[in-house]
Amino acid sequence: MEGKRAALKKLLQAVEHELLKKPDRKTLDHLSLLAGFQDWDSFQDALHGDASADENYK
């Protein structure tokens, strides 16, 4: 029984590690496209700056 608990704990730690990893740039660019932006940088500019999503549709 102790072996199963140790294996389960190790599995949960591995899953948690994967969930907490920061996504790579390619993934962020794809997510930005779904939100209507050209790339991650334009999404960040709109989110934190004066840029607008309307600029992407000119």
Side-chain angles (χ1 to χ4, degrees):
M1 186 70 159
E2 190 63 35
K4 288 183 180 181
R5 283 188 181 150
L8 180 59
K9 183 177 180 180
K10 188 173 183 178
L11 175 63
L12 289 174
Q13 287 173 342
V15 169
E16 183 180 52
H17 176 73
E18 286 298 314
L19 290 174
L20 295 177
K21 274 196 328 193
K22 184 178 179 182
D24 64 359
R25 181 58 185 246
K26 184 177 178 181
T27 302
L28 295 173
D29 284 341
H30 284 275
L31 291 172
S32 299
L33 283 172
L34 289 173
F37 294 88
Q38 296 299 318
D39 56 19
W40 180 248
D41 290 330
S42 61
F43 174 73
Q44 289 295 305
D45 288 343
L47 190 63
H48 300 291
D50 297 329
S52 169
D54 294 334
E55 292 177 10
N56 290 319
Y57 297 105
K58 289 182 181 177

